[in-house]
Amino acid sequence: MVRAYLFLSLFIPFTFFCALSALLGTLLDASGRVFSAHARFWGRGSLFLAGTRVRLTGVEHLPSGPVIFMSNHQSGFDIPTLLAVLPLETCWIAKKELFDIPVFGSAMGRGGYIPLDRRDAHRALKSLEMAVKVVRSGRSLLIFPEGTRSMDFRLLPFKRGGFKLALQAGVPVVPLTINGSGRVNPAGSIRLYPGRISVTLHRPIMPPAGFSRAQAEVLLRERVHDAISSVLEI
């Protein structure tokens, strides 16, 4: 626990500083580049403070142009890990509650991140429509299709929204697998343990053609699930 409290004593002011700087930066540059640079710096700094190293493989699989990343979700450390290592400028769909945090939430909104209210179907649909526009404008997007963190590292059932989005946007889905983050910082706990995190980028999956929308959604979901689980360590 001492390790966790020491980390938090540095992480919280560091996060506030990065969020405030990013918020001010977006007032001068609304393109998203300044925010992305701050987000990457925050991710790398957070990992440094935790004494955690990350190994990224599969970058050679990335196509040109925007993609939708879909990742398993083990820990709160997934977010700084992916911000630190993903090579593309990437927006996120994040739960609405994060946008209510002072300064931090405002910075996310200014950075183009999209709030998702899972309790309101109408607002959730609007969020997906906004996400389609973001991807079609040329920015990549990251989604946790499980919708929440897995407590035992196994994949939870995937929500349908991300796959509907992928079919509407018509861009490749790049599955990615995170291993180790749930051991560094277990879900539902503030405990912090030494360890290494690996991120594996898989080959892009194009939305299936020649099928009904419902069939294509099922096929895409199965292919993404198979890719992520293929190297998942349980």
Side-chain angles (χ1 to χ4, degrees):
M1 290 294 286
V2 173
R3 179 186 175 91
Y5 285 125
L6 179 60
F7 169 75
L8 289 174
S9 70
L10 299 172
F11 173 76
I12 292 173
F14 175 66
T15 297
F16 178 81
F17 167 79
C18 290
L20 180 60
S21 180
L23 180 60
L24 295 175
T26 59
L27 298 177
L28 302 175
D29 177 13
S31 69
R33 288 189 294 271
V34 168
F35 182 86
S36 293
H38 278 81
R40 184 172 292 108
F41 175 74
W42 174 79
R44 292 175 178 175
S46 300
L47 295 173
F48 174 79
L49 292 176
T52 301
R53 294 185 178 182
V54 180
R55 180 172 61 93
L56 174 67
T57 59
V59 176
E60 67 276 8
H61 298 319
L62 284 179
S64 59
V67 302
I68 296 176
F69 292 105
M70 291 195 181
S71 172
N72 62 311
H73 197 10
Q74 295 186 350
S75 164
F77 260 66
D78 295 337
I79 295 172
T81 294
L82 296 178
L83 286 172
V85 301
L86 286 182
L88 299 181
E89 185 179 309
T90 305
C91 291
W92 295 53
I93 295 180
K95 60 183 181 181
K96 174 184 173 294
E97 291 77 11
L98 291 176
F99 291 80
D100 296 330
I101 301 174
V103 182
F104 185 81
S106 298
M108 290 175 63
R110 291 284 303 174
Y113 285 27
I114 301 167
L116 178 64
D117 188 348
R118 291 184 292 239
R119 296 168 298 182
D120 188 318
H122 178 70
R123 289 185 178 179
L125 180 60
K126 289 292 184 183
S127 295
L128 292 179
E129 292 173 353
M130 188 184 309
V132 170
K133 292 180 181 178
V134 166
V135 175
R136 288 179 175 171
S137 73
R139 297 185 73 181
S140 295
L141 190 74
L142 189 139
I143 297 173
F144 294 116
E146 296 165 281
T148 189
R149 289 170 291 183
S150 170
M151 303 299 290
D152 61 2
F153 309 154
R154 291 177 172 83
L155 286 178
L156 301 173
F158 286 173
K159 308 293 185 183
R160 296 179 59 191
F163 300 94
K164 291 182 177 180
L165 163 63
L167 293 175
Q168 290 182 43
V171 300
V173 173
V174 175
L176 62 88
T177 305
I178 300 177
N179 283 303
S181 63
R183 293 181 175 87
V184 168
N185 175 226
S189 171
I190 67 168
R191 290 183 178 276
L192 195 62
Y193 300 95
R196 302 189 69 162
I197 299 173
S198 69
V199 177
T200 303
L201 298 178
H202 300 279
R203 294 184 182 277
I205 301 173
M206 287 300 300
F211 297 91
S212 68
R213 181 57 65 93
Q215 291 173 323
E217 183 184 318
V218 170
L219 282 172
L220 182 59
R221 187 164 64 244
E222 289 176 348
R223 291 172 185 175
V224 171
H225 186 283
D226 289 346
I228 294 175
S229 61
S230 66
V231 295
L232 186 61
E233 298 171 1
I234 299 174

